[in-house]
Amino acid sequence: MTNWLPDLREGSGPIYIRLADEMEKAIGTGDLAAGSKLPPQRNLAYDIGVTIGTISRAYSLLHERGLVSGEVGRGTYVLSRSESAPHPGHDPVTSSLAGTRPLNTPAGKIRFDSTAAPEIGQSETIASIVSDILTDRAHDVVSYTRGFPEHWQEAGRRWLSYGDWAPQAEAVVPTLGAHAGIMAIISVLTNPGDRIVFEHLTYSQVSRAVGLIGRRISLVDSDRQGVSPDDFERVCVQEHPKIAFFMSSAQNPTLATMPFDHRKAIAEIARRHNVWLIEDNLYGAMNKKEIPLIAAFAPERTFVVDGLSKSVSAGIRGGWVACPAHFAQRVRVAHKMMTGGLPFMLAELAARLVLSGEAENIWNRCRAEINTREALARQTLAGYDFNSNPDIPFLWLKLPDPWLSATFKNAVYTDGVLIDDEDEFKAGRSEKITHRVRLGFSSPVSRQEVDQGLKIVRGLLDSGSAGYDSVA
């Protein structure tokens, strides 16, 4: 084991980045030779006077750069230059945009890093509808989409309706999935430099995408009841955002659901400060709690987004946006500019699934499968702290001491399971640390595979500190 220690007296920025940079420099000069074992995280933290979390993040960063490898029970080792050579398509900018997930999913791993609708045989129904479309609308399938049939909007109106709230069909825009709809809204309502509000932990692919197009991020506090109205007011007063992105029910990844009074307060604050709202109801519609949407309190400034990816089929890319009055045409045009246009086949397929009732039938079967898998997860992980919901295809697991989110993710990866650590969901640079990971259990093809993955997770949780220091 090497006795090398870094010099962190110079430089600026987060200590874990400076530490990773120093270690990368030492690897380049040979001071940390290929094959040498790095100090255990606890030891190095003590030697240089920082927290274990700082060391863990530095080691994780080195792992992401392809400079070290870590195995439970062995330790963290410096790779040789041939082993650590980056893939020809890899670069740091791409990594920052992609988040913490690998760009190409490794083969042979159990996928707990996705929440797509489970496979319950829906392909047979989809194939039948596709066949009908090819017969009925052969010319439209091979051409560009020139118009938006009214039944596409009617399908969106039905799918977006929630409790007593329902949009007008003419206010609905079909989109290439929920994400594309969200980005179309943001491109319409903001300019480069404008601020958009996100929770510290959220669906961060949107926050990374808005950064890519030059928008700035404002972070708002939240708790078990979702967004804090008081802190949202503070952000509005101090930072003057243009839009806020919220998931009012079954928030991803925390599963928090805003109570009635919080939703009403958020709507009032947004109106008072002239802030637009995007309400992502992708998981909320699956939750069936029937608390009124924020849109019910502020219909003049709230865009509601939903789609088929979690409840019917992610591959169809079917989604819809319900817009405030007079905004549907703008969002439709922006969506075309952002995506290149909506494929006729996908839009027609999504509409027919909804209008025929087949989307609801598939969702009921998916929900039954999710219910069974969530019950299996609760049974296997009994005794540990986690948030779950029978209708939602993931859980938010609190890690016992001394596990950290990134180190646990790497340890589980070594044992054959892909999960998401908390950094995957950070909308911006946040000092809030939860020591949690998200386990999505809808993508494995069978319950047996779900059971196998859960048992691997349970085994690592039960191992405590036995494998902790050796995880990069």
Side-chain angles (χ1 to χ4, degrees):
M1 185 180 301
T2 180
N3 293 319
W4 174 89
L5 288 176
D7 183 359
L8 302 177
R9 291 173 297 180
E10 298 181 358
S12 59
I15 293 177
Y16 79 95
I17 294 179
R18 287 157 51 195
L19 175 57
D21 290 344
E22 283 293 311
M23 298 181 87
E24 181 173 3
K25 187 187 303 181
I27 292 171
T29 61
D31 291 336
L32 287 175
S36 61
K37 183 178 181 181
L38 297 185
Q41 295 178 30
R42 288 185 182 278
N43 296 7
L44 185 57
Y46 178 82
D47 288 340
I48 64 177
V50 300
T51 66
I52 298 175
T54 297
I55 304 299
S56 173
R57 296 183 75 179
Y59 277 31
S60 293
L61 195 55
L62 290 172
H63 193 278
E64 291 170 11
R65 294 175 182 177
L67 299 172
V68 299
S69 66
E71 299 179 17
V72 175
R74 291 191 64 242
T76 302
Y77 291 83
V78 177
L79 294 173
S80 67
R81 290 185 181 273
S82 60
E83 292 175 307
S84 63
H87 186 277
H90 172 83
D91 67 89
V93 175
T94 300
S95 298
S96 68
L97 294 175
T100 64
R101 295 171 181 165
L103 290 177
N104 296 305
T105 304
K109 303 288 185 181
I110 297 174
R111 294 207 61 182
F112 280 2
D113 64 338
S114 173
T115 56
E119 184 178 344
I120 45 80
Q122 59 266 67
S123 59
E124 183 176 343
T125 299
I126 293 169
S128 176
I129 295 177
V130 168
S131 178
D132 290 343
I133 295 171
L134 290 170
T135 300
D136 301 341
R137 307 294 296 271
H139 176 73
D140 294 312
V141 169
V142 300
S143 184
Y144 291 110
T145 302
R146 302 296 186 184
F148 277 52
E150 290 183 0
H151 67 277
W152 289 3
Q153 294 177 297
E154 173 59 22
R157 185 194 69 80
R158 294 189 190 183
W159 195 254
L160 290 165
S161 297
Y162 186 81
D164 295 331
W165 178 88
Q168 297 295 315
E170 59 267 24
V172 173
V173 178
T175 63
L176 196 59
H179 181 100
I182 293 166
M183 294 308 299
I185 298 165
I186 290 170
S187 67
V188 163
L189 296 177
T190 66
N191 294 306
D194 286 342
R195 287 192 172 273
I196 302 173
V197 179
F198 294 93
E199 294 175 73
H200 286 257
L201 296 172
T202 188
Y203 174 55
S204 62
Q205 290 193 42
V206 172
S207 63
R208 292 197 291 269
V210 301
L212 183 63
I213 62 172
R215 276 58 169 177
R216 295 183 294 167
I217 294 168
S218 294
L219 298 178
V220 64
D221 286 340
S222 55
D223 55 25
R224 288 183 175 272
Q225 294 188 313
V227 177
S228 163
D230 289 342
D231 200 54
F232 181 47
E233 178 101 53
R234 176 194 64 79
V235 172
C236 290
V237 170
Q238 294 181 354
E239 303 188 30
H240 310 292
K242 293 291 290 293
I243 300 179
F245 172 84
F246 296 142
M247 307 176 82
S248 55
S249 295
Q251 197 263 7
N252 180 23
T254 69
L255 287 161
T257 293
M258 293 187 203
F260 180 95
D261 58 337
H262 277 43
R263 300 180 189 215
K264 187 175 181 180
I266 292 295
E268 292 171 350
I269 293 166
R271 184 178 293 117
R272 189 158 57 245
H273 296 281
N274 196 28
V275 176
W276 297 99
L277 298 171
I278 298 175
E279 189 169 14
D280 183 341
N281 204 39
L282 202 58
Y283 294 108
M286 301 165 70
N287 199 19
K288 303 297 183 185
K289 286 207 171 182
E290 302 294 337
I291 306 173
L293 294 175
I294 298 173
F297 301 109
E300 82 286 356
R301 63 183 57 256
T302 307
F303 296 79
V304 178
V305 182
D306 195 4
L308 303 179
S309 61
K310 312 303 180 185
S311 50
V312 178
S313 172
I316 292 175
R317 305 306 299 153
W320 296 271
V321 173
C323 305
H326 312 301
F327 276 92
Q329 186 67 15
R330 298 187 205 178
V331 171
R332 174 179 162 183
V333 171
H335 178 269
K336 181 178 181 181
M337 296 299 101
M338 296 286 288
T339 65
L342 187 62
F344 179 88
M345 173 62 83
L346 296 183
E348 181 70 11
L349 173 59
R352 291 194 186 194
L353 279 165
V354 172
L355 296 176
S356 67
E358 290 295 346
E360 187 70 22
N361 292 337
I362 291 171
W363 162 225
N364 286 331
R365 291 157 60 198
C366 285
R367 180 166 52 197
E369 182 63 25
I370 290 170
N371 291 165
T372 299
R373 294 184 180 199
E374 190 268 348
L376 178 60
R378 278 191 285 109
Q379 177 182 1
T380 304
L381 301 177
Y384 288 99
D385 182 4
F386 57 87
N387 303 339
S388 72
N389 182 301
D391 292 334
I392 307 300
F394 63 86
L395 61 85
W396 187 229
L397 173 67
K398 178 74 172 180
L399 298 173
D401 184 71
W403 283 112
L404 301 174
S405 183
T407 55
F408 189 78
K409 173 183 176 177
N410 289 334
V412 173
Y413 177 89
T414 300
D415 282 2
V417 180
L418 297 174
I419 65 173
D420 287 314
D421 61 9
E422 63 184 272
D423 282 352
E424 173 60 29
F425 302 99
K426 288 186 176 178
R429 181 174 292 178
S430 172
E431 299 303 319
K432 294 185 179 297
I433 299 175
T434 65
H435 303 306
R436 287 181 180 264
V437 293
R438 194 193 75 169
L439 307 182
F441 41 76
S442 58
S443 285
V445 295
S446 67
R447 295 176 189 174
Q448 291 74 21
E449 190 176 20
V450 173
D451 182 56
Q452 180 186 355
L454 289 170
K455 286 178 178 176
I456 290 172
V457 171
R458 175 80 198 212
L460 279 168
L461 291 170
D462 290 344
S463 73
S465 60
Y468 177 74
D469 283 341
S470 63
V471 182

